Amino acid sequence: MTWQVYHVIVRLRSPLHIGYRKVGNVQRTRPYVTGRALWGALTMRLTRDATAPATGSHAYQQIGDEVHQQLAFTYFYPALQSGNDYQVVWPWDNETLFRPRFLSSYQSTALAYPQHAAAEGMLHEVEYISPHTLDTGQPVYLQGYIFAKTDCTLAWQSALERLHIGGERGYGWGATELVQISPCEDDQLFGGVAQFQQSNNSFTISLPKDGRLLAHTKADNAAIIGNLEPLVGREWRSHGGAGQHIAFTGVCFSPGSVVATAQCFTVKEFGVWEA
């Protein structure tokens, strides 16, 4: 079984919120798209395209399992157009410049109409990746890679044309426009920042010494310098409701962490790496 690797560029058409953590009344966003968020968006789009109406949770679970079996992803990162190419802007290169350029927030509250005032305790603020840079107004793109089995039966390329990613989708957030899908002609990812290699039914990604992790990574025995975090997400299961199931992937090094020596990683479900 072999895989074909595709370089994918999508343009943000509305604010994008990738749930991270809550600080006070501010819901922070991650500055990139995780594999879990992309898996969820693809599962939703593919299920609704294949099943009309897609009202049963069983159909979503079945398509979600097929996405796990036939596709894999890198995380997707903000990028800007540079001539005829696109240049990723890594969040960890200069956070003090990245944050005011790409991230903003939206504040709102519920109203208590009898008192003609804001309802107590309902003020909240949602952070997002802006569809345009906040300093120069340039369009913001997302760049990443999708690995598809050569006999993949999922219509994932057409699904990318109408994809909504992340949270607050009910308010129109997370809308993307497909710009480019192109098969990779070499083994390079993100302009040579990482390399991939196929092996039987899986593939590995290698980083050079002092390279940066590009996904959450389980690495019990690797020399890595960076932050650890428990990777937790909410899922819909047939025996529960929306977001009622807490899925725990494990304790991982965060993207941007540095490997002390050259290292290879296997890509697992949700784009998580494992040493």
Side-chain angles (χ1 to χ4, degrees), residues 18-124:
I18 303 296
Y20 183 22
R21 60 187 176 186
K22 190 172 183 179
V23 179
N25 64 344
V26 181
Q27 298 181 42
R28 299 282 304 277
T29 184
R30 294 186 185 276
Y32 47 79
V33 177
T34 63
R36 176 182 290 277
L38 185 61
W39 168 82
L42 273 173
T43 296
M44 182 187 71
R45 183 72 274 149
L46 288 166
T47 304
R48 295 181 180 182
D49 286 349
T51 309
T55 55
S57 58
H58 177 73
Y60 287 94
Q61 183 172 350
Q62 179 181 345
I63 296 292
D65 290 343
E66 292 179 14
V67 173
H68 279 315
Q69 295 163 7
Q70 301 187 43
L71 298 175
F73 338 95
T74 66
Y75 284 17
F76 276 56
Y77 290 90
L80 298 177
Q81 190 166 12
S82 176
N84 295 324
D85 203 356
Y86 298 88
Q87 185 69 45
V88 169
V89 184
W90 303 108
W92 45 78
D93 273 354
N94 191 334
E95 188 177 3
T96 57
L97 291 179
F98 181 92
R99 179 166 290 279
R101 192 174 194 202
F102 288 92
L103 304 185
S104 186
S105 64
Y106 174 81
Q107 304 84 31
S108 65
T109 186
L111 298 177
Y113 288 100
Q115 290 77 30
H116 300 285
E120 185 176 356
M122 296 302 291
L123 176 66
H124 65 282

Side-chain angles (χ1 to χ4, degrees), residues 34-269:
T34 63
R36 176 182 290 277
L38 185 61
W39 168 82
L42 273 173
T43 296
M44 182 187 71
R45 183 72 274 149
L46 288 166
T47 304
R48 295 181 180 182
D49 286 349
T51 309
T55 55
S57 58
H58 177 73
Y60 287 94
Q61 183 172 350
Q62 179 181 345
I63 296 292
D65 290 343
E66 292 179 14
V67 173
H68 279 315
Q69 295 163 7
Q70 301 187 43
L71 298 175
F73 338 95
T74 66
Y75 284 17
F76 276 56
Y77 290 90
L80 298 177
Q81 190 166 12
S82 176
N84 295 324
D85 203 356
Y86 298 88
Q87 185 69 45
V88 169
V89 184
W90 303 108
W92 45 78
D93 273 354
N94 191 334
E95 188 177 3
T96 57
L97 291 179
F98 181 92
R99 179 166 290 279
R101 192 174 194 202
F102 288 92
L103 304 185
S104 186
S105 64
Y106 174 81
Q107 304 84 31
S108 65
T109 186
L111 298 177
Y113 288 100
Q115 290 77 30
H116 300 285
E120 185 176 356
M122 296 302 291
L123 176 66
H124 65 282
E125 183 173 354
V126 183
E127 192 177 49
Y128 61 84
I129 303 174
S130 174
H132 293 86
T133 55
L134 301 174
D135 52 355
T136 60
Q138 293 175 267
V140 174
Y141 300 84
L142 298 172
Q143 179 175 341
Y145 294 82
I146 292 181
F147 305 77
K149 287 186 175 178
T150 51
D151 61 349
C152 178
T153 58
L154 297 170
W156 63 272
Q157 296 196 30
S158 60
L160 286 177
E161 296 175 358
R162 295 176 295 116
L163 207 62
H164 281 72
I165 307 173
E168 307 294 318
R169 296 192 302 275
Y171 298 100
W173 287 26
T176 61
E177 174 189 350
L178 179 61
V179 175
Q180 174 183 317
I181 300 177
S182 55
C184 289
E185 304 296 338
D186 52 30
D187 61 355
Q188 306 293 310
L189 298 178
F190 297 105
V193 172
Q195 294 180 319
F196 67 89
Q197 184 174 16
Q198 298 194 41
S199 58
N200 297 325
N201 199 31
S202 63
F203 46 84
T204 58
I205 292 179
S206 60
L207 295 177
K209 180 180 181 297
D210 297 328
R212 297 273 191 176
L213 297 180
L214 304 180
H216 285 96
T217 302
K218 295 180 181 178
D220 295 334
N221 301 309
I224 297 175
I225 303 168
N227 295 323
L228 285 168
E229 65 171 299
L231 194 57
V232 182
R234 292 182 177 273
E235 294 181 358
W236 181 302
R237 295 292 177 90
S238 57
H239 56 276
Q244 296 301 305
H245 177 77
I246 305 299
F248 178 64
T249 303
V251 177
C252 301
F253 283 97
S254 301
S257 300
V258 178
V259 296
T261 60
Q263 188 79 39
C264 289
F265 302 92
T266 304
V267 179
K268 300 294 187 179
E269 291 184 353

